[in-house]
């Protein structure tokens, strides 16, 4: 049964808790946390324990993708987050910093010729790392620009040799009850799963990020590895991935399972297709508060629009 009043992220920007209140709340939480024997909290440099990620190898910026906007401050991008495993507020960074990040393995399985289980550092060592400065547009109506370090999803797909009958990929993300209080909200369909087609995965824009701002990802942004589909609403970009499964069936995905009438499988950004409860015509730029027009495919149409030719019958927009 769906318990509508419990869902948080799909409320429009106008009803989202004003940022100032969130920050004030954070200050209070911060004061209380002084009593706890916990990790230190310094946004942009959240301390981790021995299970933290080691530094990343150097990565060159890919000039192909130009954001056309200033990069969002690291503080903003790492402390204003959606990560429901840690709760439905934006201020989950402190809790997410407690996530143990090593050892971390990713299983790649299903309809592939060479199923594999990678230790995260082994995978990072195998892949061609690069930096991409990308826009991310949340379905709630805010956006940011982040320099991500990672590698094209296609490189991983090629390594495991998918069967020609595999059409979809499911991304299952971590569920660690000891550090994720959100998992106690049993009405959500845990573990969080997202999905794409193999054709979408082979597009150069599909990216697996292991870092941002030149450092390993912090818990709040989906450490140690998350997927990014920059032309889709942010809810498609699953965080903290543990399993990647190739299949011939469209996988059930998190928000689409919770509320299919509001969140589609494809969820491509389109300013002309309103969410049933709010307009998607414009977006609020995190950090500056500026409101700018939203672009079709989040401005990446030249790279991805051809994925959707002859798919007019599909509900391509969230
Ligand atoms: N991945 C997991 N595992 N859990 C989540 O709640 N939220 C999604 C997506 N990935 C989410 C997730 C949503 S709604 C958005 S907008 C983006 O992460 C936000 O990414 P950011 O916090 O790094 O900006």
């Amino acid at each position: 049964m769906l318990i509508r009043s419990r869902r948080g992220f799909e409320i429009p920007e106008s009803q989202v808790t004003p940022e100032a209140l969130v920050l004030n709340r954070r200050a209070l939480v911060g004061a209380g946390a002084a009593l706890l024997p916990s990790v230190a909290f310094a946004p942009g440099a959240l301390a981790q324990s021995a299970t933290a990620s080691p530094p990343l190898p150097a990565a060159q910026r890919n000039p192909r993708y130009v954001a056309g906007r200033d990069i969002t401050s690291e503080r903003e991008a790492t402390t204003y987050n959606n990560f429901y495993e840690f709760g439905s507020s934006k201020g989950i960074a402190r809790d997410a910093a407690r996530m143990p990040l090593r050892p971390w393995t990713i299983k790649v399985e299903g309809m592939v010729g060479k199923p594999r289980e990678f230790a995260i550092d082994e995978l990072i060592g195998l892949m061609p790392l690069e930096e991409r400065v990308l826009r991310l547009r949340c379905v709630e109506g805010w956006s940011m620009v982040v320099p991500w370090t990672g590698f094209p999803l296609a490189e991983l797909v090629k390594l495991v040799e998918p069967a020609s009958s595999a059409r979809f990929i499911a991304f299952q993300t971590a569920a660690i009850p000891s550090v994720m209080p959100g998992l106690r909200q049993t009405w959500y369909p845990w573990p969080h799963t997202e999905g794409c087609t193999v054709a979408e995965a082979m597009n150069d824009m599909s990216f697996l990020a292991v870092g941002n701002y030149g450092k390993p990802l912090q818990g709040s942004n989906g450490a140690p590895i998350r997927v990014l589909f920059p032309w889709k609403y942010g809810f498609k970009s699953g965080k903290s991935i543990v399993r990647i499964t190739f299949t011939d069936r469209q996988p059930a995905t998190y928000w689409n399972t919770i509320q299919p009438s509001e969140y589609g499988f494809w969820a491509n950004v389109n300013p002309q297709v309103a969410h049933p409860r709010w307009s998607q015509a414009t977006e609020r730029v995190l950090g500056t508060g500026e409101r700018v027009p939203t672009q079709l495919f989040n401005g990446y149409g030249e790279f991805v629009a051809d994925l959707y030719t002859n798919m007019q019958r599909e509900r391509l927009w969230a």
Side-chain angles (χ1 to χ4, degrees), residues 9 80-85 136 138 142 144 148 173 192 220-221 226 234-235 237-239:
F9 105 71
Y80 186 89
N81 305 99
N82 279 328
F83 203 162
Y84 272 59
E85 288 84 336
L136 183 142
C138 178
W142 52 266
M144 60 178 184
W148 302 97
T173 76
H192 186 290
S220 58
N221 288 131
R226 60 123 23 118
F235 69 87
S237 294
K239 297 176 171 181

Side-chain angles (χ1 to χ4, degrees), residues 65-85:
Y65 304 112
V66 178
R69 255 186 240 161
D70 287 346
I71 288 177
T72 305
S73 78
E74 180 180 352
R75 182 190 174 91
E76 199 79 38
T78 55
T79 61
Y80 186 89
N81 305 99
N82 279 328
F83 203 162
Y84 272 59
E85 288 84 336

